[in-house]
């Protein structure tokens, strides 16, 4: 079963150069057209056939219900391919996306901020063989704005309304204007990709981009956070290990119920309400129910659940420490001067050099080399401060080859300079 609709966009010219004005009128006119909503296996097969027969790479996007649902599952998958059109897939009734993967699983996929969408796509069995990330490309090119609407506007001179980016995409049926918004998210991505490919080549960054895109595809999921309950907003006001045990129990009870109901935890009982309950230390379930700061749509309907959690926290034997264990995290840089003066000197010498190199390449420093990697190699550098050894250390920490090529020498020289400034001994960074 499928529905048809019409997508539309606005073409903004303002003070755009003539080249982008003509690009806007040409591509806006060529691309605006029908989209189809696919909400069943029959429609999926037909859509897969049409996409298979299309030409060039495919643009893919995902809409979730973040802030509304517990899960990060996809509630809409948008796909566009030239000579095929735009298709909006409704995942819940479809479930099995094998035919779509078979149809587009051998061509390049174009995504915007791919790291956000890949987990939801993989949950559906959708995996790109290779990809082009328009947001990441824009960052490497030094664009000041890298949101989807801004990148489309900068590349094509077309403005997109972003009215529904924070909507509850689990809503059914989806309103027509939401569907039009979703269609536009992929309608221009192929054209944007073509423009960014040209810009990357002009700036000599094509190889950089390929490495970055592959790194995003290869990146393993983040391990589960240790003591995730410590992320409760306002937990810093809670004192005492017993009170922390109560906070942990309340957080866990809310998390379990949120997962069961597939509702964002904060929509059941906000963080501030859980912390208020801990601080109030109510003597009874009735006192908890009477606590005006304890709000949220499940605060009273699930009062037995919350009271049981408070009692469990009060009775817990494994009291959490006052402070979370540091794990393998480094101390904050402000503490380095006291705790590791040599590392502090290395970091202070290398950081401006890396920033200067990023400026010369016209890209954000964090895209040239993440601050965490620089901090780690400054905290514990290799024995010999050469560009080769620094590069090996950076690779081991997860840096890409192009990043090492651009930064290892300047970091090594900065480290050597820091040693000379504190000891006066000559060193070499060769």
């Amino acid at each position: 079963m499928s529905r048809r609709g019409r997508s539309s966009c606005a073409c903004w010219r303002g003070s755009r150069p003539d080249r982008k004005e003509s690009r806007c009128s040409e591509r806006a006119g060529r691309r605006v057209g029908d989209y189809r909503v696919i909400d069943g296996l029959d429609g999926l097969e037909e859509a897969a056939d049409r996409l298979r027969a299309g030409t060039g790479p495919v643009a893919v996007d995902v809409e979730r219900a973040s802030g509304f649902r517990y899960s990060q599952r996809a509630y809409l998958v948008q796909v566009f391919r030239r000579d095929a059109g735009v298709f909006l897939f409704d995942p819940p009734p479809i479930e099995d996306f094998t035919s779509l993967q078979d149809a587009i699983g051998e061509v390049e996929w174009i995504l915007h901020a791919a790291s956000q969408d890949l987990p939801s796509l993989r949950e559906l069995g959708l995996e790109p063989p290779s990809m082009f990330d328009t947001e990441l490309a824009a960052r490497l090119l030094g664009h000041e704005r890298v949101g989807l609407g801004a990148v489309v506007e900068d590349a094509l001179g077309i403005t997109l309304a972003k009215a529904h980016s924070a909507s509850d995409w689990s809503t059914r049926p989806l309103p027509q204007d939401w569907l039009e918004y979703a269609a536009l998210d992929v309608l221009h991505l192929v054209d944007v990709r073509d423009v960014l490919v040209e810009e990357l080549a002009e700036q000599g960054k094509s190889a950089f981009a390929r490495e970055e895109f592959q790194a995003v595809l290869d990146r393993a999921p983040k391990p589960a956070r240790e003591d995730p309950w410590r992320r409760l907003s306002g937990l810093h006001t809670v004192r005492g290990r017993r009170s922390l045990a109560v906070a942990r129990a309340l957080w866990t009870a809310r998390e379990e119920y949120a997962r069961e109901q597939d509702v964002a935890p904060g929509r059941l009982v906000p963080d501030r309400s859980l912390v208020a309950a801990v601080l109030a230390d109510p003597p009874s379930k009735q006192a908890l129910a009477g606590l005006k700061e304890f709000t949220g749509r499940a605060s009273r309907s699930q009062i037995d659940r919350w009271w049981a959690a408070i009692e469990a926290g009060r009775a817990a034997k494994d009291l959490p420490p006052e402070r979370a264990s540091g794990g393998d995290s480094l101390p904050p840089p402000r503490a380095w001067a006291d705790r590791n003066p040599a590392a502090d000197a290395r970091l202070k010498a290398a950081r401006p050099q890396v920033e200067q190199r990023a400026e010369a390449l016209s890209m954000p420093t964090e895209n040239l080399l993440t601050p965490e990697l620089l901090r780690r190699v400054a905290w514990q550098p290799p024995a010999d401060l050469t560009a080769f050894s620094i590069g090996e250390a950076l690779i081991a920490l997860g840096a890409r080859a192009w990043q090492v090529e651009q930064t290892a020498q300047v970091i090594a020289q900065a480290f050597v300079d820091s040693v000379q400034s504190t000891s006066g001994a000559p060193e070499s960074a060769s």
Side-chain angles (χ1 to χ4, degrees):
M1 191 74 179
S2 65
R3 288 178 285 159
R4 290 184 179 273
R6 300 285 298 182
S7 59
S8 60
C9 71
C11 186
W12 177 86
R13 289 176 171 77
S15 58
R16 289 275 165 199
D18 292 342
R19 183 164 68 99
K20 288 193 174 179
E21 288 184 6
S22 61
R23 179 185 293 153
C24 173
S25 59
E26 174 192 346
R27 285 175 171 161
R30 176 161 51 87
R31 292 272 66 89
V32 174
D34 289 339
Y35 60 85
R36 297 185 65 189
V37 180
I38 310 299
D39 54 11
L41 288 176
D42 290 343
L44 176 67
E45 296 296 335
E46 181 185 350
D49 288 341
R50 294 186 61 175
L51 286 164
R52 184 182 290 106
T55 57
V58 295
V60 181
D61 192 29
V62 172
E63 302 296 347
R64 293 174 294 276
S66 302
F68 296 91
R69 297 290 184 174
Y70 181 86
S71 68
Q72 290 300 304
R73 68 179 297 183
Y75 282 96
L76 196 70
V77 176
Q78 307 101 284
V79 180
F80 166 75
R81 193 177 190 190
R82 286 172 177 156
D83 301 320
V86 176
F87 297 89
L88 309 180
F89 297 94
D90 187 3
I94 294 175
E95 296 185 348
D96 185 356
F97 279 84
T98 302
S99 59
L100 178 59
Q101 177 67 30
D102 291 344
I104 62 175
E106 295 184 358
V107 298
E108 179 186 83
W109 295 17
I110 307 164
L111 299 102
H112 189 85
S115 60
Q116 299 178 25
D117 291 343
L118 285 172
S120 301
L121 289 168
R122 286 168 172 157
E123 193 175 299
L124 297 174
L126 296 172
E127 179 76 34
S130 63
M131 67 128 189
F132 187 100
D133 187 329
T134 51
E135 185 206 42
L136 187 46
R139 290 184 182 278
L140 294 174
L141 288 165
H143 289 200
E144 292 185 5
R145 306 177 304 159
V146 296
L148 176 59
V151 173
V152 171
E153 183 177 311
D154 289 344
L156 306 178
I158 297 171
T159 54
L160 302 179
K162 299 297 291 180
H164 305 297
S165 58
S167 297
D168 180 4
W169 287 90
S170 66
T171 300
R172 290 299 182 274
L174 285 168
Q176 189 70 31
D177 57 332
W178 293 21
L179 296 173
E180 293 180 0
Y181 159 86
L184 287 170
D185 272 0
V186 291
L187 190 63
H188 302 291
L189 270 186
V190 179
D191 290 334
V192 169
R193 177 253 187 210
D194 291 347
V195 172
L196 297 182
V197 164
E198 292 178 11
E199 292 186 23
L200 288 167
E202 290 169 0
Q203 292 191 24
K205 297 176 180 176
S206 300
F208 299 176
R210 285 193 294 271
E211 285 192 52
E212 289 300 291
F213 300 159
Q214 191 61 48
V216 172
L217 283 178
D218 294 342
R219 189 172 298 147
K222 288 184 179 180
R225 181 184 292 269
E226 185 177 354
D227 292 341
W229 58 273
R230 289 187 183 271
R231 299 185 69 191
L232 268 173
S233 178
L235 188 68
H236 65 281
T237 62
V238 175
R239 297 288 182 269
R241 297 178 67 190
R242 180 65 59 192
S243 294
L244 287 173
V246 173
R248 178 182 63 188
L250 278 170
W251 181 91
T252 301
R254 185 186 66 174
E255 197 76 1
E256 291 172 350
Y257 188 54
R259 186 184 299 111
E260 174 189 321
Q261 299 296 312
D262 193 17
V263 175
R267 289 187 168 269
L268 297 172
V269 181
D271 282 9
R272 64 178 180 276
S273 295
L274 296 186
V275 172
V278 175
L279 296 176
D281 192 22
S284 66
K285 180 169 63 176
Q286 291 71 26
L288 175 63
L291 184 64
K292 65 179 182 179
E293 294 87 359
F294 192 63
T295 60
R297 74 190 204 192
S299 60
R300 300 304 183 275
S301 62
Q302 295 294 314
I303 195 68
D304 290 343
R305 183 185 301 271
W306 314 130
W307 180 247
I310 289 175
E311 290 189 313
R314 289 170 175 171
K317 303 297 185 185
D318 58 331
L319 299 182
E322 289 276 1
R323 295 189 178 186
S325 60
D328 67 345
S329 62
L330 298 175
R334 64 178 177 273
W336 285 28
D338 293 328
R339 298 184 60 175
N340 191 338
D344 183 61
R346 286 190 292 268
L347 182 63
K348 287 177 177 175
R351 188 161 48 196
Q353 297 303 315
V354 174
E355 291 171 353
Q356 184 176 341
R357 184 62 188 143
E359 185 177 351
L361 289 168
S362 299
M363 69 173 64
T365 303
E366 60 269 22
N367 287 107
L368 174 59
L369 189 70
T370 59
E372 175 70 9
L373 297 192
L374 180 58
R375 286 194 293 266
R376 287 194 175 277
V377 78
W379 183 263
Q380 192 172 9
D384 55 329
L385 301 181
T386 64
F388 179 79
S389 297
I390 294 293
E392 284 193 324
L394 289 172
I395 289 289
L397 290 168
R400 267 72 71 194
W402 77 269
Q403 295 176 316
V404 170
E405 182 181 351
Q406 295 295 326
T407 63
Q409 181 62 52
V410 297
I411 292 172
Q413 188 60 57
F415 285 3
V416 168
D417 291 345
S418 75
V419 172
Q420 292 178 341
S421 66
T422 55
S423 67
E427 296 281 350
S428 172
S430 60

